[in-house]
Amino acid sequence: VWGIDCWTRRNVTSVIEAEFSPEIAVEFVEKWLLPAINACPVELAHNMAAAARILEGLEPSQLQETQHSDSLSQEADETQSESKSQNC
């Protein structure tokens, strides 16, 4: 069974309570977020974004591919920036 630590739980509920009642925040965490985290594959269970994808009705496994693509794009952009600055 996966879960979240007390600090993270408090931060999540605080953010939700900024827009909704404390009861709604607790209900969201207990009835929606924690089951979504538990539904994550082992290799993604540490990443709350995977649970968010499950809540959206998407596959959490796509998160890994998306993050990998994004990090490759970011690395390429950084390499390009470094090349330009070295040429100046």
Side-chain angles (χ1 to χ4, degrees), residues 1-75:
V1 174
W2 300 106
I4 54 176
D5 61 84
C6 296
W7 187 83
T8 303
R9 184 182 182 119
R10 183 66 201 131
N11 282 324
V12 168
T13 55
S14 292
V15 169
I16 296 169
E17 288 172 2
E19 297 289 326
F20 302 97
S21 70
E23 294 81 16
I24 298 281
V26 169
E27 181 178 345
F28 173 78
V29 170
E30 292 178 358
K31 292 187 178 182
W32 293 95
L33 183 59
L34 292 176
I37 290 170
N38 281 309
C40 288
V42 172
E43 64 275 3
L44 296 173
H46 69 282
N47 191 337
M48 204 175 297
R53 290 186 61 80
I54 289 172
L55 290 173
E56 292 178 66
L58 302 171
E59 290 291 322
S61 59
Q62 293 172 347
L63 176 71
Q64 225 172 15
E65 296 165 10
T66 303
Q67 284 183 336
H68 183 68
S69 301
D70 291 347
S71 66
L72 290 176
S73 295
Q74 185 178 4
E75 287 174 17

